[in-house]
Amino acid sequence: MKNKILNYLVVILLIMGVFFRFANIDLKLYWCDEVYTSLRMSGHLQQEMDRRLRDGSLISINDLHKYQYPDREKNTLDTIKGLIAEESQLSPLYFVLVRWWVELFGNSIAVIRSFSAFISLLSFPCLYWLCLELFGSRLVGWMAISIVAVSPVHIVYAQEARPYSLSIVAVLLSSAALLRAVRCQTKKSWGIYAATLTLGLYTQLFFGFAIVAQSIYVIWIERWKLTKQLTNYMVAVGVGVLTFIPWIWIFITHPTPGNLAWVNTKQTLLEITIRWVGIISRAFIDFGIGPNDSFALKIGVMPLVLIVFVLIIYAIYFICRQTSKPVWLFIITLIGSICLPLMLLDFGLGKRYGTTRYILPSTIGMQLAVAYLLSAKTTLISHRQWQQKIWSSIACGLITIEVISCAISSQSQMWWNKVPELYGEYPNMAMNINRSERALVITDADMTSVQILGHLVNDKMRFQVVNDRQKIDTHPEFSDIFILVESQSSQLKANVEKSYNLPIVKINNLLWQVTKSNT
């Protein structure tokens, strides 16, 4: 009877997990990183987009979308060329696959994001396989699937047009393949493992941290001796990395340093500690708290966050005490491979290298530890019945918090991963613009910001992208003239006011509007 109830609960949670991954998938802001995904997918270059659209001419939504969706002018090879020229730090597999997906199902934000959502479903069988190889327990496997199915952090990145869902699948698949190869010791099993390394590296460069973790694991369990098993592992890694050498060469010969200004934000020890507690706890609890939210709200949520954080720490301690070395060592290396270096950088330099999306492999390790803890505590014969009931209540409470987090997120247009401190006003700006019968937005903003707004406004409106010293031509055919400025030092407002000979009024920190003449 108990097993039947558990099976029903797992099925329900799986259904909920699938629902949350696709529910309102086009609701949240299509933000900066996703705009770059679309640009890469289109096969066009950013410099080409800037050259053609920043000349002061009127731009339609279709003109903007030319650089956001695939068309007949560019093909898959152009997508790869765009990455090489402008973002060689990104592996190409995801961008090629999502381009094919959109070409098959059509141009829309929902279609683009649905690829990540679909890929995230593959994490379930991979996770179950990993639990069977690591713990030899179906119960832990189903518990882990229940946790991950409605994990808010997995839902967030399953609805984002970036490679994170595919990267999670690659980490789970390579981990399970490694444990199977260690167990079977066959050429076929090592060949499968080598193939998963190729998949992971061509998905995301950060997958290299997972390889480091797996290397430490195998070397340690072989007691630092060059055994046959270690030799087989080294050959498999060599083959996997060898297939990635072409992109490594591209990365070295075509360096494209990204904008990492946010990393240099100085933080106090207390701020770093609070941020890391929040990052880790998002594996189970996420009410969308961001930097702009009130201190009172953050304090109100903090007790729950701390409880979840303590549970994660206890789960790691428990698995180290109760399992064999090959089990706990695998979990520890998976967690520490990314978390530890980023923590050392943050606490040592007082900066903010650590982000939720970077530590997703570590998050998987934490969730595996919690899944084992809850499975053991709710089924151990040595535990009294009241203890099992307490731990069953803890498991139900944890999953309930996850479901509530996902439910809140599914109805929200802005979330912390969309950087609301920078882009939080864009939905309101679009709402104001869309009230107009036919609007013109004059701006000197970055084309990325223009594209973000372009995904929010109606097809009737037009953009005019200028520099702050350019003469502004008047366009009386538009019912409303708006001004989008991102820099406080911009001269654009004064130029527009002078050209139209009409005063302007402030709508919010970024958007202004030319007032209509009374005559």
Side-chain angles (χ1 to χ4, degrees):
M1 184 65 180
K2 194 173 182 179
N3 288 335
K4 285 186 178 180
I5 294 174
L6 179 61
N7 291 338
Y8 287 138
L9 287 174
V10 171
V11 171
I12 291 171
L13 290 172
L14 272 173
I15 293 172
M16 293 178 70
V18 174
F19 170 77
F20 283 130
R21 279 163 171 78
F22 290 93
N24 294 324
I25 197 166
D26 58 346
L27 175 63
K28 288 187 176 59
L29 181 78
Y30 201 72
W31 75 298
C32 172
D33 281 12
E34 292 179 300
V35 164
Y36 277 112
T37 292
S38 283
L39 179 61
R40 296 282 76 88
M41 180 183 62
S42 74
H44 292 279
L45 298 177
Q46 183 176 358
Q47 59 182 3
E48 175 192 345
M49 177 177 66
D50 289 344
R51 185 177 66 253
R52 293 188 179 182
L53 300 184
R54 297 189 67 90
D55 60 358
S57 61
L58 295 184
I59 302 169
S60 69
I61 299 301
N62 286 335
D63 293 330
L64 293 176
H65 286 178
K66 176 181 179 180
Y67 300 94
Q68 294 290 280
Y69 299 110
D71 58 32
R72 294 182 179 179
E73 289 184 20
K74 303 290 182 178
N75 55 32
T76 302
L77 185 59
D78 292 305
T79 292
I80 297 174
K81 288 179 178 178
L83 286 167
I84 294 172
E86 296 182 338
E87 292 187 278
S88 63
Q89 77 279 7
L90 300 177
S91 299
L93 181 60
Y94 167 81
F95 300 94
V96 170
L97 292 177
V98 75
R99 178 188 172 92
W100 293 347
W101 180 273
V102 173
E103 287 177 335
L104 183 62
F105 294 106
N107 296 341
S108 73
I109 291 175
V111 169
I112 296 172
R113 286 176 171 167
S114 68
F115 177 72
S116 295
F118 173 76
I119 288 296
S120 72
L121 300 181
L122 300 180
S123 64
F124 300 149
C126 295
L127 181 63
Y128 186 73
W129 181 25
L130 175 58
C131 288
L132 289 182
E133 293 290 346
L134 185 61
F135 302 107
S137 169
R138 293 183 178 181
L139 177 62
V140 178
W142 289 122
M143 181 66 76
I145 287 177
S146 300
I147 288 172
V148 170
V150 290
S151 169
V153 74
H154 288 280
I155 301 295
V156 163
Y157 288 112
Q159 290 196 334
E160 182 152 312
R162 297 299 280 177
Y164 307 121
S165 288
L166 186 58
S167 178
I168 289 170
V169 171
V171 170
L172 290 170
L173 192 61
S174 69
S175 298
L178 171 63
L179 294 177
R180 182 179 183 274
V182 169
R183 175 173 57 84
C184 297
Q185 286 298 315
T186 62
K187 291 182 179 180
K188 182 180 178 180
S189 62
W190 284 114
I192 292 173
Y193 172 65
T196 64
L197 298 186
T198 301
L199 169 68
L201 288 170
Y202 274 101
T203 297
Q204 196 176 37
L205 287 178
F206 257 72
F207 184 80
F209 284 99
I211 297 178
V212 171
Q214 293 167 1
S215 299
I216 294 172
Y217 172 76
V218 175
I219 292 171
W220 204 326
I221 62 173
E222 292 303 307
R223 300 180 179 181
W224 305 86
K225 296 178 180 178
L226 190 60
T227 61
K228 182 180 179 181
Q229 183 164 279
L230 181 56
T231 302
N232 290 336
Y233 172 78
M234 293 171 63
V235 170
V237 171
V239 171
V241 173
L242 189 64
T243 59
F244 191 61
I245 282 181
W247 200 262
I248 294 175
W249 176 253
I250 288 170
F251 177 68
I252 294 172
T253 56
H254 296 76
T256 52
N259 181 12
L260 297 177
W262 55 271
V263 167
N264 295 319
T265 304
K266 282 290 185 178
Q267 292 191 313
T268 65
L269 186 63
L270 178 61
E271 288 173 331
I272 295 171
T273 302
I274 292 174
R275 182 167 55 82
W276 269 100
V277 169
I279 288 173
I280 291 172
S281 300
R282 277 178 183 152
F284 300 96
I285 178 172
D286 180 11
F287 296 152
I289 305 298
N292 291 341
D293 289 301
S294 66
F295 182 74
L297 181 60
K298 295 175 182 177
I299 291 297
V301 175
M302 189 56 69
L304 271 178
V305 172
L306 287 175
I307 289 171
V308 171
F309 180 77
V310 169
L311 179 66
I312 294 171
I313 299 302
Y314 177 68
I316 296 171
Y317 166 79
F318 182 81
I319 208 167
C320 290
R321 291 293 303 270
Q322 299 296 322
T323 62
S324 61
K325 182 178 178 180
V327 175
W328 65 256
L329 181 61
F330 184 87
I331 297 293
I332 293 298
T333 52
L334 183 58
I335 294 173
S337 61
I338 297 182
C339 259
L340 187 58
L342 293 179
M343 278 185 173
L344 291 175
L345 285 171
D346 281 4
F347 284 99
L349 302 177
K351 297 188 178 182
R352 46 175 303 174
Y353 284 91
T355 63
T356 305
R357 64 183 183 268
Y358 288 168
I359 70 158
L360 286 174
S362 299
T363 299
I364 294 169
M366 297 173 199
Q367 290 173 326
L368 286 171
V370 172
Y372 179 81
L373 169 69
L374 297 179
S375 300
K377 290 291 187 179
T378 55
T379 58
L380 282 177
I381 300 176
S382 60
H383 277 45
R384 296 178 181 177
Q385 191 173 10
W386 65 269
Q387 291 176 313
Q388 291 184 351
K389 287 183 177 180
I390 289 176
W391 280 102
S392 296
S393 299
I394 291 173
C396 290
L398 185 67
I399 291 176
T400 300
I401 290 173
E402 287 188 308
V403 172
I404 293 172
S405 299
C406 295
I408 296 172
S409 172
S410 69
Q411 303 302 312
S412 303
Q413 189 171 15
M414 287 299 301
W415 210 243
W416 56 265
N417 64 312
K418 305 301 181 184
V419 196
E421 59 269 30
L422 293 180
Y423 306 112
E425 293 186 346
Y426 277 68
N428 288 331
M429 284 195 295
M431 186 172 60
N432 278 286
I433 294 169
N434 286 334
R435 289 195 187 111
S436 301
E437 184 178 338
R438 192 161 184 255
L440 171 66
V441 175
I442 304 172
T443 181
D444 59 356
D446 184 88
M447 282 307 304
T448 305
S449 302
V450 176
Q451 290 284 12
I452 292 173
L453 192 57
H455 284 290
L456 294 172
V457 296
N458 60 57
D459 293 340
K460 293 181 179 179
M461 72 147 298
R462 297 291 182 266
F463 284 94
Q464 186 180 17
V465 186
V466 298
N467 60 58
D468 57 7
R469 295 183 179 180
Q470 187 172 340
K471 181 181 177 181
I472 308 298
D473 296 328
T474 59
H475 294 278
E477 67 270 25
F478 291 98
S479 60
D480 294 276
I481 308 295
F482 295 92
I483 310 164
L484 171 62
V485 293
E486 289 185 328
S487 172
Q488 296 298 320
S489 62
S490 173
Q491 295 295 314
L492 180 62
K493 296 193 298 290
N495 293 346
V496 172
E497 195 170 19
K498 181 179 178 181
S499 296
Y500 279 86
N501 196 27
L502 290 170
I504 61 175
V505 293
K506 182 178 181 180
I507 297 178
N508 59 37
N509 292 329
L510 301 176
L511 192 66
W512 297 68
Q513 184 176 7
V514 176
T515 58
K516 295 180 180 179
S517 174
N518 294 325
T519 59

